[in-house]
Every structure is written in C-alpha cells, then in structure tokens.
Amino acid sequence: MFTVAAFWLPLSVWAQDQQDDTQSEPQGAQQQAAQERVDNLQEPLYNPFVERYVLDELKQLRKDMAAQRVNLTEQFVDRQINVADKAISYATDTVTYFFYLIAGVSSLLVLVGWTSIRDIKEKVHGLANEEISKLVSEYEGRLRSIEEQLSEKTRHIEDNRDEIELTKEIQSLWLRAGREHTAVGKIAVYDQILAVRADDGEALTYKADAVLELGEPQWAIHLCLRALEIDPENGNAYYQLACAHASQEHWEEAVDYLSKALEISTAYRDEAMEDEALDGLHEYPPFARLMGIESTGMERDSEENAEKQEVS
C-alpha cells in the first residue's frame, strides 16, 4: 500500500504541473504533449527517500504489533492470576466458615447439655430406635389388619363356595320335583329341599300345593303360614291359603287370601279362574266381584234374601 502511494504521489504532482502548463492549449494537443513527455522520461518519478519512509513505517508497525502482543499476554496472565487468587480465597473462606460452624454447633451442644460426641451418638441412637419402634408397631398393626381382611375374604369365599354347592344341590332337587308325577313323590323331594335349606319359602308353598292334592287342607294352611313368616310378600302362599280354605268351604277367608295374592301379582287372576280347587267360589258373590264376573241369578237371589232379612 505504501509502495503504491510512493509511485502514485510524484506521478500525480507531475501530471498536475503539466495540466497547469497546458490549460490554454486544446485538449487533443495537451494529450499528445503529455504522451511525448512520458515517452521521453529519463529517470523514475520516485527517489530513495520514499523507500526509506516505507521501511520505517513497516518497522514501526512490527514494533507496535509486538508491543500489543506483549500487552495482551500480560493481561491474560493477570486475569489468570486474579482467578486463581479468588479461587484460593473462596476455598480458604469456606474452610474457615466451616470450622466456625463446627465450633458454633459444638458450643451450642455444650450449652444444651450434650458435652461430648458420645452423648450425641447415644441420643441419636435412642431417637432412631424410638422412631423404628413406632414404624414397626404401625406396620405390625397394618399387617394384622391385612391378615384379618384376608381371613374374612377367605371365609366369604368359602361361604360362597358352599352356597354355590348348596344351590346346585337344591337346583337338582327342584328339577327332580318337576319330574315327579305323584303328590307323595313331590312332598318327599320338597322335604329334602327343606332339610338342606329350612327357610325356603317356595319349597313350603309348593309342598302345600302337593299336600292339597292329598286332601290335607289343614296341613297346607300350616305350611303356608310358615312360608309367610319367612316372606310376608309371598303371593303363592296367599294363593295356596285361598285354595285350602276353599276346600274347607271357608269362602270368606278364601276370598280374603285370594285378594291379597292378587294385590301382590295379578297373574293369579287367570289361574284362579281355571283352578279346580276354587270352583266352589265361582257362585260366591264377593269372589265374583273380586274377579270381575257378571252377577248371576244366585247372586241376585242372595242379595234379595239379605235385603228381606234386613227389613224383617
């Protein structure tokens, strides 16, 4: 860069002089004269003084760069020394504060009565044993509770399994009762069911039905009353009571029990109209009103007789 400047500066000065001399000449003549002078140059337009100047500048530039490098190195070393000094100071302060803390804790322990490390150790062991004992007791209680729950669940499972086996046995007996064609055979099967499950209200009512087939209404009434003690909403028991009382010609009781059966389930209405055990009730006026049957001549005669009796 400095060499180009050295060449360019004299050339520009010479060109300026030539321009001043030829300002009055025409442009083409000036260019031609300048070209002739350039062609007739006998010596260079620069001198050794310019080269010396360039060399001095380069030398000064190298010195400045070397000084800058030394300055940067000194700054880097100073920063490293500062960092190391701060790290050592931090470590020293930390150790000092740690020993101060130990001394303060030791003084505090002495003030509260712990005069030695042995006392501290024994106290810590005592507290640890106490906490461990509490945890062990708590978990022992939980384990006992879990064991009790497992035992209870096991009992429930065993009871359910026994109940399932019992249900299977009773189901097989019900199927056997359905295949029996005689009342005596049905009663025998129902007795087996009641021997397995004494509180089976359905078995009692179906046994009462079989007993009615044998012509034992009083026995059937007793069985139905036992069934109602077990289940007061047993509609079949009320229906069998109605049949038993109808067989004994207790018309009022029969209609009363039949009405209770119909309150529980209206399905007994159709069965009552077709059941032979209740045929004697068809001419009984309260039965006709209960079943919605049209009044017959007998009903009208009975009503007229009742009115006559009231008048007399």
Side-chain angles (χ1 to χ4, degrees), residues 143-155:
L143 288 175
R144 283 194 296 270
S145 176
I146 292 172
E147 289 177 357
E148 292 175 356
Q149 291 177 2
L150 289 176
S151 300
E152 186 177 357
K153 293 292 184 183
T154 303
R155 288 195 298 271

Side-chain angles (χ1 to χ4, degrees), residues 29 85 101 129 148 245 254 298:
D85 186 30
L101 180 62
N129 292 330
E148 292 175 356
H245 283 286
M298 182 180 292

Side-chain angles (χ1 to χ4, degrees), residues 242-243 245-252 254-255 258 272-288 291 293 296 298:
C243 293
H245 283 286
S247 65
Q248 292 179 334
E249 297 184 357
H250 298 162
W251 312 122
E252 184 177 356
V255 172
L258 182 59
M273 295 298 298
E274 299 176 359
D275 197 341
E276 295 179 356
L278 300 176
D279 287 344
L281 288 173
H282 288 185
E283 300 299 329
Y284 186 59
F287 176 79
M291 304 302 293
I293 303 173
T296 60
M298 182 180 292

Side-chain angles (χ1 to χ4, degrees), residues 157-193:
I157 291 171
E158 294 294 334
D159 294 340
N160 290 334
R161 185 172 61 184
D162 296 339
E163 185 66 23
I164 290 171
E165 295 296 331
L166 187 62
T167 303
K168 288 181 179 179
E169 183 179 357
I170 293 174
Q171 184 67 24
S172 64
L173 290 172
W174 279 108
L175 293 175
R176 180 181 167 188
R179 291 193 296 268
E180 290 288 340
H181 298 289
T182 62
V184 176
K186 292 180 179 179
I187 291 172
V189 177
Y190 294 144
D191 286 337
Q192 293 181 10
I193 295 174

Side-chain angles (χ1 to χ4, degrees), residues 200-211:
D200 194 335
E202 291 295 325
L204 288 171
T205 55
Y206 279 97
K207 182 179 178 180
D209 188 15
V211 166

Side-chain angles (χ1 to χ4, degrees), residues 251-301:
W251 312 122
E252 184 177 356
E253 290 83 354
V255 172
D256 186 24
Y257 284 120
L258 182 59
S259 64
K260 292 180 180 179
L262 292 175
E263 288 177 1
I264 295 174
S265 175
T266 58
Y268 293 109
R269 185 181 302 276
D270 296 336
E271 186 175 356
M273 295 298 298
E274 299 176 359
D275 197 341
E276 295 179 356
L278 300 176
D279 287 344
L281 288 173
H282 288 185
E283 300 299 329
Y284 186 59
F287 176 79
R289 287 194 297 270
L290 178 64
M291 304 302 293
I293 303 173
E294 294 182 358
S295 299
T296 60
M298 182 180 292
E299 182 180 356
R300 288 193 297 270
D301 293 340

Side-chain angles (χ1 to χ4, degrees), residues 208 211-221:
V211 166
L212 281 176
E213 293 181 8
L214 295 177
E216 297 288 341
Q218 197 62 37
W219 187 8
I221 291 172

